[in-house]
Amino acid sequence: MPIVSCWQVSYAQISYQKFPLSNQVLQRNEQNEAIVNVKGLITERNHSSINLKIFQEENIVYDNTINVSGVASFEFSPTIRAGKYNYSVRLYLDGKEVKSATRVAAGDVFLVYGQSNALGYGGINEYQPAKDPFLRYYVMYDFNNNTGEWLVPFESSQWPGTGLIALELQRLLSQKYNYPVGVVVAAVGGAAIKALNDRNAQNPSNPNDNYGKMLIQAHASGLKDQIKYLVFRHGESDGYYFADSEAYPEQFTTLYNYLNSDFPNLRKIYNLQANILTQSNHKAGFLRDFQRRTKYLYPKISTLSTVGTRGYDGLHYVFEGYQQTAFELSRLIGREIYGNFESNEIYSPDIQRIYWEGNRLVLEFDAGMQMIYPKDSTANFTLRSMKDYIYVDGKNNVVQYGEGIGNKIYLSLANINNPKTVSYLPDWFADNTYPFYNGVHIKNSWGMRAFSFDNVQIGGQAPEIPTTPDPPTNPEPPVNPDPPTNPEPPVDPPGPNNPDPPVTPTSLDLTVSTNEEMMVKLTWNGDAQTKYHIFRSVNNANNLTEIGTIKGDNYYDTQVELNNTYYYKVTSETAQSAVKDVLLKCLDSVLLKNITQLAYIGANTSITAIISLNSTKQLTLEANKFIDLNPGFDASHGSVFTAQIGGCKNE
């Protein structure tokens, strides 16, 4: 197979500046098409015509001729339809074919950057998926001469140096959404972030720099100016040492700015939070917390936690771990790029605020999450308990126990007064039982592990917290008194000191309400030990179907849209509620954090938006007082977005 490059190539009669490559996946645009750029210069006289033909399989879908005389430049910019189609692009000079590219496709392309876990070589030799001709990857052969080629995985003897994550990610996306998927993998094993943002201002595409090599690879793939999506997995190298961890935010900002400068069409960066390392470093949690917060700090970023991923060895993963990451990442991409509106619980739960409710400390996560506090586990006869890995003011002997109810984790504390901060999961971990963290994790009902967080402030006034007394030293044995003569039979004390057992209600008092995130909250007189079944129907009180189960007294329904009436019923084994309804129409305020299928959203007072509109989305926001487009809001080229002050017109 010939080695090709997208850079200018000269032949005897034509100098080519742009021409597609065989097996290349071109990035589709907002119209679900890709532009085929063909550009060059005829360098000899005595030619009369230059003709471009594009075939879809064997059918001509484009045929255009430019008449020329003498030395002349030419350019064609036809479009091809995105989908699982192979195209052949053929150029003719005076009727004679002079250049061609075969199996060109239009779909989506992902650039992968970071270090070794962005590659994922664990188990790659055993990875044998069914061959799919619409998966493509770009392999680089010579950075100094800008040579490489697009290949189909496992179709040739060339080993797919992309690693397992990219291969599995493109397989999942292509199979589910029926588009060709290409990957350009430029990750560098063991590279610190300083080694990944080492951009040479005078020569950004310097083959002696990691960043320069990444740019060369993107150029050579023919797609540098088309790439919309980047997967960034990093943090292990910088998580080993205090100074590197502390400097990580500044270094990441530098890299983020370079990427936006060099990739003009970049729309989304998927930034993965690193796992718990084994090297002693009390700033590693700070680094992970920064990774968690990047989605709030930079408008193009979405985040995913990797803590608790299967098959972890303290640095890398086995096959199942990389496969799990690819699957979880594919669900985020499916929602944000392909419009597959799955549950909010495909996201890693993220701490929103920490505060007091009575004598318990509340960790509140994203609205709509159903949080689960884990049971204790045993590893090599050693107990792993969640309370030992939640740090209140840096101490891990404070949490006594916890429980999950709705989107909250409730913690009971002791041995501390007026605490200020909470951290979740250790900075680093190794003990005599295991050399890496194999403990438990806080999760949601879909099994997504919560982001680790570091020194998050506690709000509100702390109550008086009891101190667990130390056991007495050498206590005196109890003295048994002599039994009384002819003792009186015991008399039960009256009243509330000896109450009857609680009676399980046969009727549940259900209340339904809406909140600013366009969710429906259900509350009832339940408890944390009983399982409740949630039923719902839309615009009809009949045909209720079960949408979830939960232990507790509240449930968030996130799968709702404006302009509908929703009917709900809650049941348990011994009780049930009446059917209650709620109309989602004009809310007072709207906090828009996720894309909906609606083209119009109105509010009586205000709308705050932190969404990213894809290239095909049309959306109008309207509110009476104000509309805030907060950091995180982005409207891709091709989207149609309008914000206006006026009355709510939800139908």
Side-chain angles (χ1 to χ4, degrees), residues 10-39:
S10 295
Y11 293 86
Q13 299 166 314
I14 300 177
S15 172
Y16 296 94
Q17 295 168 306
K18 293 181 181 179
F19 201 91
L21 306 177
S22 291
N23 294 317
Q24 186 180 40
V25 176
L26 301 175
Q27 177 62 53
R28 63 191 175 104
N29 61 17
E30 296 74 23
Q31 290 74 42
N32 210 34
E33 297 174 334
I35 300 173
V36 180
N37 288 307
V38 174
K39 184 177 181 181

PDB file of all heavy atoms in Angstrom, residues 10-39:
ATOM      1  N   SER A  10       3.969  17.111  -5.969  1.00  0.00           N
ATOM      2  CA  SER A  10       4.139  17.532  -7.361  1.00  0.00           C
ATOM      3  C   SER A  10       4.317  16.322  -8.266  1.00  0.00           C
ATOM      4  O   SER A  10       5.035  15.378  -7.938  1.00  0.00           O
ATOM      5  CB  SER A  10       5.355  18.459  -7.492  1.00  0.00           C
ATOM      6  OG  SER A  10       5.128  19.658  -6.785  1.00  0.00           O
ATOM      7  N   TYR A  11       3.643  16.357  -9.377  1.00  0.00           N
ATOM      8  CA  TYR A  11       3.826  15.380 -10.431  1.00  0.00           C
ATOM      9  C   TYR A  11       4.302  16.141 -11.667  1.00  0.00           C
ATOM     10  O   TYR A  11       4.415  17.361 -11.671  1.00  0.00           O
ATOM     11  CB  TYR A  11       2.510  14.632 -10.700  1.00  0.00           C
ATOM     12  CG  TYR A  11       2.096  13.758  -9.535  1.00  0.00           C
ATOM     13  CD1 TYR A  11       1.357  14.296  -8.486  1.00  0.00           C
ATOM     14  CD2 TYR A  11       2.469  12.421  -9.473  1.00  0.00           C
ATOM     15  CE1 TYR A  11       0.979  13.513  -7.412  1.00  0.00           C
ATOM     16  CE2 TYR A  11       2.102  11.623  -8.407  1.00  0.00           C
ATOM     17  CZ  TYR A  11       1.350  12.176  -7.374  1.00  0.00           C
ATOM     18  OH  TYR A  11       0.981  11.395  -6.315  1.00  0.00           O
ATOM     19  N   ALA A  12       4.532  15.434 -12.746  1.00  0.00           N
ATOM     20  CA  ALA A  12       5.079  16.068 -13.948  1.00  0.00           C
ATOM     21  C   ALA A  12       4.145  17.134 -14.496  1.00  0.00           C
ATOM     22  O   ALA A  12       4.585  18.147 -15.040  1.00  0.00           O
ATOM     23  CB  ALA A  12       5.365  15.013 -15.000  1.00  0.00           C
ATOM     24  N   GLN A  13       2.838  16.908 -14.363  1.00  0.00           N
ATOM     25  CA  GLN A  13       1.887  17.818 -15.009  1.00  0.00           C
ATOM     26  C   GLN A  13       1.080  18.663 -14.026  1.00  0.00           C
ATOM     27  O   GLN A  13       0.600  19.725 -14.381  1.00  0.00           O
ATOM     28  CB  GLN A  13       0.917  16.993 -15.870  1.00  0.00           C
ATOM     29  CG  GLN A  13       1.630  16.202 -16.973  1.00  0.00           C
ATOM     30  CD  GLN A  13       0.726  15.152 -17.581  1.00  0.00           C
ATOM     31  OE1 GLN A  13       0.045  14.426 -16.880  1.00  0.00           O
ATOM     32  NE2 GLN A  13       0.720  15.076 -18.907  1.00  0.00           N
ATOM     33  N   ILE A  14       0.927  18.189 -12.783  1.00  0.00           N
ATOM     34  CA  ILE A  14       0.065  18.881 -11.821  1.00  0.00           C
ATOM     35  C   ILE A  14       0.755  18.931 -10.461  1.00  0.00           C
ATOM     36  O   ILE A  14       1.346  17.947 -10.018  1.00  0.00           O
ATOM     37  CB  ILE A  14      -1.303  18.178 -11.684  1.00  0.00           C
ATOM     38  CG1 ILE A  14      -2.036  18.139 -13.028  1.00  0.00           C
ATOM     39  CG2 ILE A  14      -2.156  18.867 -10.632  1.00  0.00           C
ATOM     40  CD1 ILE A  14      -3.352  17.393 -12.969  1.00  0.00           C
ATOM     41  N   SER A  15       0.654  20.079  -9.813  1.00  0.00           N
ATOM     42  CA  SER A  15       1.064  20.232  -8.424  1.00  0.00           C
ATOM     43  C   SER A  15      -0.205  20.275  -7.578  1.00  0.00           C
ATOM     44  O   SER A  15      -1.058  21.143  -7.785  1.00  0.00           O
ATOM     45  CB  SER A  15       1.866  21.519  -8.248  1.00  0.00           C
ATOM     46  OG  SER A  15       2.104  21.767  -6.879  1.00  0.00           O
ATOM     47  N   TYR A  16      -0.332  19.331  -6.626  1.00  0.00           N
ATOM     48  CA  TYR A  16      -1.558  19.220  -5.826  1.00  0.00           C
ATOM     49  C   TYR A  16      -1.368  19.895  -4.476  1.00  0.00           C
ATOM     50  O   TYR A  16      -0.402  19.633  -3.768  1.00  0.00           O
ATOM     51  CB  TYR A  16      -1.932  17.757  -5.609  1.00  0.00           C
ATOM     52  CG  TYR A  16      -2.270  17.016  -6.872  1.00  0.00           C
ATOM     53  CD1 TYR A  16      -1.296  16.291  -7.552  1.00  0.00           C
ATOM     54  CD2 TYR A  16      -3.561  17.060  -7.389  1.00  0.00           C
ATOM     55  CE1 TYR A  16      -1.604  15.618  -8.723  1.00  0.00           C
ATOM     56  CE2 TYR A  16      -3.876  16.390  -8.552  1.00  0.00           C
ATOM     57  CZ  TYR A  16      -2.899  15.665  -9.221  1.00  0.00           C
ATOM     58  OH  TYR A  16      -3.211  15.002 -10.378  1.00  0.00           O
ATOM     59  N   GLN A  17      -2.317  20.739  -4.125  1.00  0.00           N
ATOM     60  CA  GLN A  17      -2.330  21.366  -2.807  1.00  0.00           C
ATOM     61  C   GLN A  17      -3.340  20.702  -1.877  1.00  0.00           C
ATOM     62  O   GLN A  17      -3.117  20.613  -0.676  1.00  0.00           O
ATOM     63  CB  GLN A  17      -2.636  22.861  -2.948  1.00  0.00           C
ATOM     64  CG  GLN A  17      -1.534  23.608  -3.691  1.00  0.00           C
ATOM     65  CD  GLN A  17      -1.981  25.009  -4.077  1.00  0.00           C
ATOM     66  OE1 GLN A  17      -3.022  25.182  -4.721  1.00  0.00           O
ATOM     67  NE2 GLN A  17      -1.195  26.008  -3.699  1.00  0.00           N
ATOM     68  N   LYS A  18      -4.453  20.256  -2.434  1.00  0.00           N
ATOM     69  CA  LYS A  18      -5.467  19.547  -1.644  1.00  0.00           C
ATOM     70  C   LYS A  18      -6.017  18.392  -2.470  1.00  0.00           C
ATOM     71  O   LYS A  18      -6.368  18.569  -3.643  1.00  0.00           O
ATOM     72  CB  LYS A  18      -6.621  20.482  -1.247  1.00  0.00           C
ATOM     73  CG  LYS A  18      -6.231  21.582  -0.274  1.00  0.00           C
ATOM     74  CD  LYS A  18      -7.427  22.454   0.079  1.00  0.00           C
ATOM     75  CE  LYS A  18      -7.033  23.576   1.040  1.00  0.00           C
ATOM     76  NZ  LYS A  18      -8.201  24.446   1.355  1.00  0.00           N
ATOM     77  N   PHE A  19      -6.078  17.221  -1.815  1.00  0.00           N
ATOM     78  CA  PHE A  19      -6.703  16.061  -2.451  1.00  0.00           C
ATOM     79  C   PHE A  19      -6.991  15.050  -1.345  1.00  0.00           C
ATOM     80  O   PHE A  19      -6.162  14.855  -0.451  1.00  0.00           O
ATOM     81  CB  PHE A  19      -5.782  15.434  -3.505  1.00  0.00           C
ATOM     82  CG  PHE A  19      -6.528  14.594  -4.515  1.00  0.00           C
ATOM     83  CD1 PHE A  19      -7.008  15.162  -5.691  1.00  0.00           C
ATOM     84  CD2 PHE A  19      -6.774  13.246  -4.291  1.00  0.00           C
ATOM     85  CE1 PHE A  19      -7.710  14.403  -6.617  1.00  0.00           C
ATOM     86  CE2 PHE A  19      -7.475  12.479  -5.201  1.00  0.00           C
ATOM     87  CZ  PHE A  19      -7.939  13.052  -6.378  1.00  0.00           C
ATOM     88  N   PRO A  20      -8.175  14.439  -1.339  1.00  0.00           N
ATOM     89  CA  PRO A  20      -8.480  13.478  -0.267  1.00  0.00           C
ATOM     90  C   PRO A  20      -7.555  12.272  -0.319  1.00  0.00           C
ATOM     91  O   PRO A  20      -6.929  11.990  -1.344  1.00  0.00           O
ATOM     92  CB  PRO A  20      -9.937  13.093  -0.551  1.00  0.00           C
ATOM     93  CG  PRO A  20     -10.139  13.381  -1.994  1.00  0.00           C
ATOM     94  CD  PRO A  20      -9.275  14.563  -2.310  1.00  0.00           C
ATOM     95  N   LEU A  21      -7.483  11.560   0.789  1.00  0.00           N
ATOM     96  CA  LEU A  21      -6.638  10.380   0.899  1.00  0.00           C
ATOM     97  C   LEU A  21      -7.504   9.124   0.897  1.00  0.00           C
ATOM     98  O   LEU A  21      -8.640   9.140   1.400  1.00  0.00           O
ATOM     99  CB  LEU A  21      -5.820  10.428   2.184  1.00  0.00           C
ATOM    100  CG  LEU A  21      -4.982  11.682   2.410  1.00  0.00           C
ATOM    101  CD1 LEU A  21      -4.282  11.602   3.755  1.00  0.00           C
ATOM    102  CD2 LEU A  21      -3.973  11.870   1.287  1.00  0.00           C
ATOM    103  N   SER A  22      -6.993   8.053   0.399  1.00  0.00           N
ATOM    104  CA  SER A  22      -7.714   6.781   0.438  1.00  0.00           C
ATOM    105  C   SER A  22      -7.958   6.370   1.891  1.00  0.00           C
ATOM    106  O   SER A  22      -7.099   6.558   2.767  1.00  0.00           O
ATOM    107  CB  SER A  22      -6.915   5.698  -0.282  1.00  0.00           C
ATOM    108  OG  SER A  22      -6.866   5.938  -1.671  1.00  0.00           O
ATOM    109  N   ASN A  23      -9.143   5.843   2.153  1.00  0.00           N
ATOM    110  CA  ASN A  23      -9.591   5.395   3.486  1.00  0.00           C
ATOM    111  C   ASN A  23      -9.857   6.549   4.454  1.00  0.00           C
ATOM    112  O   ASN A  23     -10.169   6.304   5.627  1.00  0.00           O
ATOM    113  CB  ASN A  23      -8.576   4.445   4.126  1.00  0.00           C
ATOM    114  CG  ASN A  23      -8.453   3.142   3.391  1.00  0.00           C
ATOM    115  OD1 ASN A  23      -9.454   2.558   2.980  1.00  0.00           O
ATOM    116  ND2 ASN A  23      -7.228   2.681   3.196  1.00  0.00           N
ATOM    117  N   GLN A  24      -9.761   7.778   3.982  1.00  0.00           N
ATOM    118  CA  GLN A  24      -9.934   8.938   4.869  1.00  0.00           C
ATOM    119  C   GLN A  24     -11.398   9.106   5.253  1.00  0.00           C
ATOM    120  O   GLN A  24     -12.307   8.901   4.441  1.00  0.00           O
ATOM    121  CB  GLN A  24      -9.441  10.194   4.158  1.00  0.00           C
ATOM    122  CG  GLN A  24      -9.420  11.450   5.007  1.00  0.00           C
ATOM    123  CD  GLN A  24      -8.909  12.641   4.210  1.00  0.00           C
ATOM    124  OE1 GLN A  24      -9.241  12.804   3.042  1.00  0.00           O
ATOM    125  NE2 GLN A  24      -8.077  13.458   4.824  1.00  0.00           N
ATOM    126  N   VAL A  25     -11.634   9.494   6.503  1.00  0.00           N
ATOM    127  CA  VAL A  25     -12.958   9.927   6.946  1.00  0.00           C
ATOM    128  C   VAL A  25     -12.947  11.441   7.008  1.00  0.00           C
ATOM    129  O   VAL A  25     -12.175  12.038   7.771  1.00  0.00           O
ATOM    130  CB  VAL A  25     -13.329   9.343   8.320  1.00  0.00           C
ATOM    131  CG1 VAL A  25     -14.687   9.892   8.784  1.00  0.00           C
ATOM    132  CG2 VAL A  25     -13.382   7.830   8.266  1.00  0.00           C
ATOM    133  N   LEU A  26     -13.789  12.088   6.210  1.00  0.00           N
ATOM    134  CA  LEU A  26     -13.923  13.535   6.233  1.00  0.00           C
ATOM    135  C   LEU A  26     -14.969  13.914   7.277  1.00  0.00           C
ATOM    136  O   LEU A  26     -16.000  13.244   7.409  1.00  0.00           O
ATOM    137  CB  LEU A  26     -14.337  14.053   4.853  1.00  0.00           C
ATOM    138  CG  LEU A  26     -13.384  13.726   3.696  1.00  0.00           C
ATOM    139  CD1 LEU A  26     -13.991  14.190   2.372  1.00  0.00           C
ATOM    140  CD2 LEU A  26     -12.020  14.363   3.911  1.00  0.00           C
ATOM    141  N   GLN A  27     -14.708  14.993   8.021  1.00  0.00           N
ATOM    142  CA  GLN A  27     -15.629  15.420   9.061  1.00  0.00           C
ATOM    143  C   GLN A  27     -16.894  15.991   8.446  1.00  0.00           C
ATOM    144  O   GLN A  27     -16.861  16.913   7.638  1.00  0.00           O
ATOM    145  CB  GLN A  27     -14.980  16.467   9.965  1.00  0.00           C
ATOM    146  CG  GLN A  27     -15.899  17.028  11.044  1.00  0.00           C
ATOM    147  CD  GLN A  27     -16.377  15.973  12.017  1.00  0.00           C
ATOM    148  OE1 GLN A  27     -15.569  15.249  12.601  1.00  0.00           O
ATOM    149  NE2 GLN A  27     -17.695  15.873  12.199  1.00  0.00           N
ATOM    150  N   ARG A  28     -18.033  15.427   8.826  1.00  0.00           N
ATOM    151  CA  ARG A  28     -19.313  15.917   8.303  1.00  0.00           C
ATOM    152  C   ARG A  28     -19.632  17.284   8.909  1.00  0.00           C
ATOM    153  O   ARG A  28     -19.207  17.621  10.017  1.00  0.00           O
ATOM    154  CB  ARG A  28     -20.441  14.922   8.587  1.00  0.00           C
ATOM    155  CG  ARG A  28     -20.716  14.684  10.050  1.00  0.00           C
ATOM    156  CD  ARG A  28     -21.657  13.507  10.257  1.00  0.00           C
ATOM    157  NE  ARG A  28     -21.815  13.238  11.686  1.00  0.00           N
ATOM    158  CZ  ARG A  28     -22.894  13.561  12.409  1.00  0.00           C
ATOM    159  NH1 ARG A  28     -23.923  14.161  11.827  1.00  0.00           N
ATOM    160  NH2 ARG A  28     -22.958  13.287  13.694  1.00  0.00           N
ATOM    161  N   ASN A  29     -20.436  18.068   8.170  1.00  0.00           N
ATOM    162  CA  ASN A  29     -20.786  19.408   8.625  1.00  0.00           C
ATOM    163  C   ASN A  29     -22.215  19.450   9.142  1.00  0.00           C
ATOM    164  O   ASN A  29     -22.857  18.408   9.365  1.00  0.00           O
ATOM    165  CB  ASN A  29     -20.557  20.428   7.498  1.00  0.00           C
ATOM    166  CG  ASN A  29     -21.420  20.139   6.272  1.00  0.00           C
ATOM    167  OD1 ASN A  29     -22.410  19.389   6.341  1.00  0.00           O
ATOM    168  ND2 ASN A  29     -21.063  20.722   5.133  1.00  0.00           N
ATOM    169  N   GLU A  30     -22.734  20.654   9.330  1.00  0.00           N
ATOM    170  CA  GLU A  30     -24.061  20.829   9.904  1.00  0.00           C
ATOM    171  C   GLU A  30     -25.170  20.309   9.004  1.00  0.00           C
ATOM    172  O   GLU A  30     -26.268  20.013   9.456  1.00  0.00           O
ATOM    173  CB  GLU A  30     -24.300  22.322  10.200  1.00  0.00           C
ATOM    174  CG  GLU A  30     -23.377  22.906  11.238  1.00  0.00           C
ATOM    175  CD  GLU A  30     -21.963  23.125  10.709  1.00  0.00           C
ATOM    176  OE1 GLU A  30     -21.788  23.239   9.463  1.00  0.00           O
ATOM    177  OE2 GLU A  30     -21.023  23.153  11.525  1.00  0.00           O
ATOM    178  N   GLN A  31     -24.907  20.226   7.723  1.00  0.00           N
ATOM    179  CA  GLN A  31     -25.899  19.705   6.777  1.00  0.00           C
ATOM    180  C   GLN A  31     -25.753  18.196   6.569  1.00  0.00           C
ATOM    181  O   GLN A  31     -26.338  17.633   5.652  1.00  0.00           O
ATOM    182  CB  GLN A  31     -25.772  20.412   5.417  1.00  0.00           C
ATOM    183  CG  GLN A  31     -26.204  21.870   5.434  1.00  0.00           C
ATOM    184  CD  GLN A  31     -25.213  22.785   6.126  1.00  0.00           C
ATOM    185  OE1 GLN A  31     -23.994  22.648   5.949  1.00  0.00           O
ATOM    186  NE2 GLN A  31     -25.725  23.700   6.936  1.00  0.00           N
ATOM    187  N   ASN A  32     -24.969  17.544   7.423  1.00  0.00           N
ATOM    188  CA  ASN A  32     -24.725  16.105   7.326  1.00  0.00           C
ATOM    189  C   ASN A  32     -24.019  15.751   6.025  1.00  0.00           C
ATOM    190  O   ASN A  32     -24.253  14.696   5.436  1.00  0.00           O
ATOM    191  CB  ASN A  32     -26.025  15.308   7.460  1.00  0.00           C
ATOM    192  CG  ASN A  32     -25.794  13.939   8.067  1.00  0.00           C
ATOM    193  OD1 ASN A  32     -24.930  13.769   8.924  1.00  0.00           O
ATOM    194  ND2 ASN A  32     -26.546  12.956   7.614  1.00  0.00           N
ATOM    195  N   GLU A  33     -23.130  16.640   5.599  1.00  0.00           N
ATOM    196  CA  GLU A  33     -22.334  16.426   4.397  1.00  0.00           C
ATOM    197  C   GLU A  33     -20.871  16.750   4.714  1.00  0.00           C
ATOM    198  O   GLU A  33     -20.568  17.396   5.714  1.00  0.00           O
ATOM    199  CB  GLU A  33     -22.811  17.335   3.260  1.00  0.00           C
ATOM    200  CG  GLU A  33     -24.235  17.073   2.806  1.00  0.00           C
ATOM    201  CD  GLU A  33     -24.704  18.096   1.778  1.00  0.00           C
ATOM    202  OE1 GLU A  33     -24.168  19.231   1.783  1.00  0.00           O
ATOM    203  OE2 GLU A  33     -25.599  17.760   0.989  1.00  0.00           O
ATOM    204  N   ALA A  34     -19.990  16.294   3.863  1.00  0.00           N
ATOM    205  CA  ALA A  34     -18.577  16.639   3.977  1.00  0.00           C
ATOM    206  C   ALA A  34     -18.113  17.250   2.666  1.00  0.00           C
ATOM    207  O   ALA A  34     -18.542  16.826   1.580  1.00  0.00           O
ATOM    208  CB  ALA A  34     -17.741  15.408   4.312  1.00  0.00           C
ATOM    209  N   ILE A  35     -17.241  18.236   2.759  1.00  0.00           N
ATOM    210  CA  ILE A  35     -16.699  18.897   1.568  1.00  0.00           C
ATOM    211  C   ILE A  35     -15.456  18.140   1.111  1.00  0.00           C
ATOM    212  O   ILE A  35     -14.561  17.844   1.902  1.00  0.00           O
ATOM    213  CB  ILE A  35     -16.358  20.364   1.871  1.00  0.00           C
ATOM    214  CG1 ILE A  35     -17.609  21.124   2.311  1.00  0.00           C
ATOM    215  CG2 ILE A  35     -15.718  21.027   0.657  1.00  0.00           C
ATOM    216  CD1 ILE A  35     -17.339  22.549   2.787  1.00  0.00           C
ATOM    217  N   VAL A  36     -15.419  17.835  -0.166  1.00  0.00           N
ATOM    218  CA  VAL A  36     -14.250  17.202  -0.771  1.00  0.00           C
ATOM    219  C   VAL A  36     -13.442  18.301  -1.451  1.00  0.00           C
ATOM    220  O   VAL A  36     -13.854  18.842  -2.485  1.00  0.00           O
ATOM    221  CB  VAL A  36     -14.662  16.123  -1.790  1.00  0.00           C
ATOM    222  CG1 VAL A  36     -13.419  15.473  -2.403  1.00  0.00           C
ATOM    223  CG2 VAL A  36     -15.552  15.078  -1.127  1.00  0.00           C
ATOM    224  N   ASN A  37     -12.319  18.651  -0.858  1.00  0.00           N
ATOM    225  CA  ASN A  37     -11.488  19.734  -1.386  1.00  0.00           C
ATOM    226  C   ASN A  37     -10.431  19.175  -2.338  1.00  0.00           C
ATOM    227  O   ASN A  37      -9.616  18.330  -1.950  1.00  0.00           O
ATOM    228  CB  ASN A  37     -10.803  20.486  -0.252  1.00  0.00           C
ATOM    229  CG  ASN A  37     -11.776  21.337   0.550  1.00  0.00           C
ATOM    230  OD1 ASN A  37     -12.509  22.144  -0.023  1.00  0.00           O
ATOM    231  ND2 ASN A  37     -11.787  21.155   1.861  1.00  0.00           N
ATOM    232  N   VAL A  38     -10.472  19.653  -3.578  1.00  0.00           N
ATOM    233  CA  VAL A  38      -9.463  19.295  -4.580  1.00  0.00           C
ATOM    234  C   VAL A  38      -8.925  20.599  -5.148  1.00  0.00           C
ATOM    235  O   VAL A  38      -9.687  21.421  -5.666  1.00  0.00           O
ATOM    236  CB  VAL A  38     -10.049  18.407  -5.694  1.00  0.00           C
ATOM    237  CG1 VAL A  38      -9.014  18.164  -6.791  1.00  0.00           C
ATOM    238  CG2 VAL A  38     -10.539  17.091  -5.106  1.00  0.00           C
ATOM    239  N   LYS A  39      -7.622  20.804  -5.020  1.00  0.00           N
ATOM    240  CA  LYS A  39      -7.035  22.068  -5.442  1.00  0.00           C
ATOM    241  C   LYS A  39      -5.622  21.815  -5.952  1.00  0.00           C
ATOM    242  O   LYS A  39      -4.888  20.998  -5.392  1.00  0.00           O
ATOM    243  CB  LYS A  39      -6.999  23.058  -4.282  1.00  0.00           C
ATOM    244  CG  LYS A  39      -6.490  24.446  -4.628  1.00  0.00           C
ATOM    245  CD  LYS A  39      -6.561  25.361  -3.403  1.00  0.00           C
ATOM    246  CE  LYS A  39      -6.092  26.773  -3.713  1.00  0.00           C
ATOM    247  NZ  LYS A  39      -6.148  27.648  -2.520  1.00  0.00           N
TER     248      LYS A  39
END
